[in-house]
Structures are given as C-alpha cells and as structure tokens.
C-alpha cells in the first residue's frame, strides 16, 4: 500500500501534539512549514521529520505531499485551506474549520471541484465510544433520544491582549470551545438541528464570553448548550433517552460513559482509548482519501458551522474582518 505523505502548516501547540502522537503505518509526516525556516527546522529535527519549509507556499509546491494538516490559529484556516486545495492537496484542518458559514461553503465547493478530501480534525466524530453508545441504545432498549445537555467552561483571564478575548484574533467562547459542545450534540443527533433560541454575554473586548443555545430537529431531539470562557465548567454531555440517560465526561476524547436506568441501576459503557484519540481521526481521514469510507463528517462540521454562524448573527456579533452576510 502506498504511504501517504503529510505536511504540517502552523507549528504551535496542537502541531506538537499531532507530531508526538502520529502513528499511522500507511502514513508519515513528510514535512513541516513555518514562516521561519529556523522554526520549521527545529520542529522537524525534534520529531525526525525529513523536510522543513520556510514558507507555506514551499510546502504546498512539493509534489510528494498528499495531505496538508492545518494547525494555524482558526482565523487563518480559510486562506490555508484554499491555498492547499488549489495546490491539489487533501486537507485535514483543525477546529473550528473556518470562521463562518460563507467560508466553509466556499471551501467545500472548491474541494468538490478539485475532487479532494476536506475534513475537520474533530476527535468527537471518530471516538469508538460514541459508536458503542449507539449500539447500547439498541441493546439496552433505551428507546429514542429525547434531549441532550452539554456544557463546556474554561477559565481564561479577562485580558484582551490574549487570543481568547481578542476580536482581531477571532477570540470568544463559540469558536474556541463551542465547536466541541456543538460537535458532540451533532454527532449524537439523528438529524440536522436548527437554532431555536440563544442568548449571550459579551466581554469588555466585545467577543462572546458566555452563551446558551437551544436547538431542536425534525425528530424532536432538544439540545441545551452552555458555554463560558471566564468560568470553569465540566466538559460534560448528558444523552437523555426514553428509558435511561448516559453521562459522558470529557466528551472531546472519551473512552467511558455512565448509563443510568430509570430504577437507579448504573452501568459503565467503555470503548476505545482516550490517549489514542488523534490516531482514530487520522486513520479515518486516510481511509477517506483512499476511497475506503465516505467523508460523512464534513456535513456534521457544516451543520455545526451553520449553528455557530446563526447564533452570532442573532447576537449581532461580527469580527472586524467579517461582514454580516458571511454568517447568512
């Protein structure tokens, strides 16, 4: 089987995790790119990557690279996605995959035109635990999914000079942690959700500090999402079925969940290994590139982006480099 060569664009913390945990027998990290050749070379030396590039354009010009992993801050994702697709590369992009609905629709259209694979690096879509939960829903006769409660709170100092509260760097709770909460909900729902209601509290810098969202879909699966980047909350999702509920802690990379029956009996659902989360998504992406499985997670990402854009449109929150029409 031909080995797939990966190139990394953006060499921050998440790229270090990617290089540390990358373990694909039919794939390898071929090159790493930064706007500084010294930084790229240091990164390449640290992880035994054979090629370092002093610009993103140089990496994209290398015909040996099959897949580009984009690990830049999310306000730079769109330009790197478009450049990578134009260069004929498949694209695996960190979350949030783009800033808004307009950008993602444009990227999807270009990927389709070029017959290339585009997907978001969202571990939630690939963790074996969620498939096992669906199996247990049937095996335990839990009945239909009725509602989902999901929260994510992360305490960040109220400092507009850091990226979490900077409008210029696309700060705010929605694109930083909201994408996880909404992806969890979308992964478990059986039909696309619509935004029913939302409220928010802006920070002094103007980005979203706190918000709640209410979703519903054609199957009457109701969702409440609570977000905050100035208060710690559990990364917890609760799936409520007719005949029991399932609690998933640390849902971005879970390998265990708790099933509670109406009579109070509790059992554990387990599948996969949280420490291998990144490799589940890397494996699946390579299988999509090879044509062995469909690219169905891109539509989940698209549904999530629609919700995030709709919520920001409802709030009237647009970043300085956006237009209100980008959210519609």
């Amino acid at each position: 089987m031909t080995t797939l060569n990966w190139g990394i664009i953006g060499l921050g913390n998440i790229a270090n995790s990617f290089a540390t945990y990358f373990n694909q027998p039919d794939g390898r990290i071929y090159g790493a790119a930064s706007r500084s050749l010294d930084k790229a070379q240091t990164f390449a030396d640290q992880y035994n990557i054979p090629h370092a590039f002093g610009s993103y354009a140089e990496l994209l010009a290398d015909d040996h690279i099959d897949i580009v992993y984009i690990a830049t801050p999310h306000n730079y994702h769109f330009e790197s996605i478009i450049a990578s697709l134009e260069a004929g590369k498949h694209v695996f992009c960190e979350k949030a995959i783009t800033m808004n609905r307009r950008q993602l629709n444009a990227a999807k259209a270009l990927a389709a035109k070029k017959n290339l694979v585009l997907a978001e690096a969202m571990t939630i879509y690939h963790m074996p635990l969620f498939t096992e939960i669906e199996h247990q829903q049937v095996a335990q006769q839990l009945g239909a999914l009725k509602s989902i409660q999901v929260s994510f709170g992360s305490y960040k100092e109220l400092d507009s000079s850091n990226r979490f509260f900077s409008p210029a760097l696309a700060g705010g709770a929605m694109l930083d942690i909201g994408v996880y909460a909404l992806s969890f909900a979308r992964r478990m729902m059986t039909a696309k959700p619509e935004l029913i209601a939302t409220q928010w509290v802006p920070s002094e810098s103007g980005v979203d500090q706190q918000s709640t969202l209410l979703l519903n879909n054609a199957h009457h699966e109701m969702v409440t999402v609570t977000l905050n980047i100035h208060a710690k909350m559990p990364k917890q999702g609760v799936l409520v079925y007719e005949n029991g509920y399932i609690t998933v802690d640390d849902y971005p990379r879970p390998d265990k969940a708790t099933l509670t029956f109406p009579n109070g009996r509790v059992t554990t659902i387990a599948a996969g290994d949280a420490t291998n989360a990144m490799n589940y998504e890397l494996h699946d992406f390579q299988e999509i590139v090879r044509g062995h499985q469909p690219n169905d997670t891109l539509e989940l990402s698209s549904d999530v982006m629609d919700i995030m854009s709709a919520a920001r449109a409802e709030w009237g929150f647009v970043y300085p480099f956006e237009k209100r029409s980008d959210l519609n």
Side-chain angles (χ1 to χ4, degrees), residues 62-291:
D62 192 316
D63 292 336
H64 294 93
I65 292 176
D66 303 297
I67 302 168
V68 173
Y69 169 63
I70 298 174
T72 58
H74 50 245
N75 50 312
Y76 299 113
H77 285 177
F78 181 66
E79 63 185 65
S80 294
I81 289 172
I82 296 300
S84 300
L85 293 172
E86 291 286 9
K89 314 299 185 187
H90 303 289
V91 177
F92 191 59
C93 184
E94 273 302 331
K95 76 291 290 177
I97 186 169
T98 59
M99 293 294 305
N100 53 55
R101 189 194 323 243
R102 180 193 62 80
Q103 288 185 347
L104 183 51
N105 287 343
K108 287 167 59 180
L110 182 58
K113 177 181 176 182
K114 295 280 189 176
N115 196 28
L116 294 166
V117 178
L118 168 66
E120 184 176 41
M122 177 56 69
T123 53
I124 289 168
Y125 297 152
H126 306 275
M127 295 301 293
L129 179 68
F130 295 121
T131 301
E132 181 60 24
I133 286 174
E134 291 168 335
H135 290 162
Q136 290 300 314
Q137 178 185 1
V138 176
Q140 301 288 349
Q141 299 182 333
L142 298 181
L145 177 66
K146 308 303 289 184
S147 65
I148 300 175
Q149 303 162 17
V150 56
S151 63
F152 197 145
S154 179
Y155 183 86
K156 307 295 183 185
E157 294 289 345
L158 290 172
D159 180 0
S160 60
S161 66
N162 73 41
R163 70 175 183 86
F164 298 105
F165 289 96
S166 169
L169 298 177
M174 181 67 78
L175 292 177
D176 187 67
I177 60 177
V179 65
Y180 289 101
L182 289 165
S183 294
F184 168 78
R186 182 64 190 96
R187 168 64 183 84
M188 303 312 297
M189 299 177 85
T190 60
K192 178 177 179 174
E194 300 293 336
L195 180 68
I196 303 303
T198 183
Q199 58 182 353
W200 75 310
V201 177
S203 68
E204 290 184 4
S205 65
V207 304
D208 56 306
Q209 176 180 315
Q210 178 178 344
S211 63
T212 59
L213 297 89
L214 176 63
L215 315 179
N216 204 346
N217 66 11
H219 300 160
H220 305 298
E221 297 164 349
M222 301 183 68
V223 179
T224 55
V225 176
T226 307
L227 307 172
N228 201 314
I229 55 168
H230 189 55
K232 187 70 174 176
M233 291 191 296
K235 288 177 282 193
Q236 185 181 77
V238 180
L239 305 165
V240 180
Y241 299 92
E242 291 174 307
N243 301 312
Y245 66 88
I246 295 174
T247 304
V248 185
D249 292 317
D250 295 320
Y251 57 78
R253 297 184 173 193
D255 52 21
K256 292 183 178 63
T258 301
L259 167 57
T260 303
F261 293 94
N263 64 5
R265 183 169 67 88
V266 176
T267 187
T268 299
I269 301 172
D273 177 0
T275 63
N276 201 40
M278 189 166 281
N279 278 299
Y280 293 130
E281 61 182 2
L282 296 178
H283 171 269
D284 286 352
F285 188 85
Q286 291 194 160
E287 289 296 284
I288 296 166
V289 168
R290 295 186 188 280

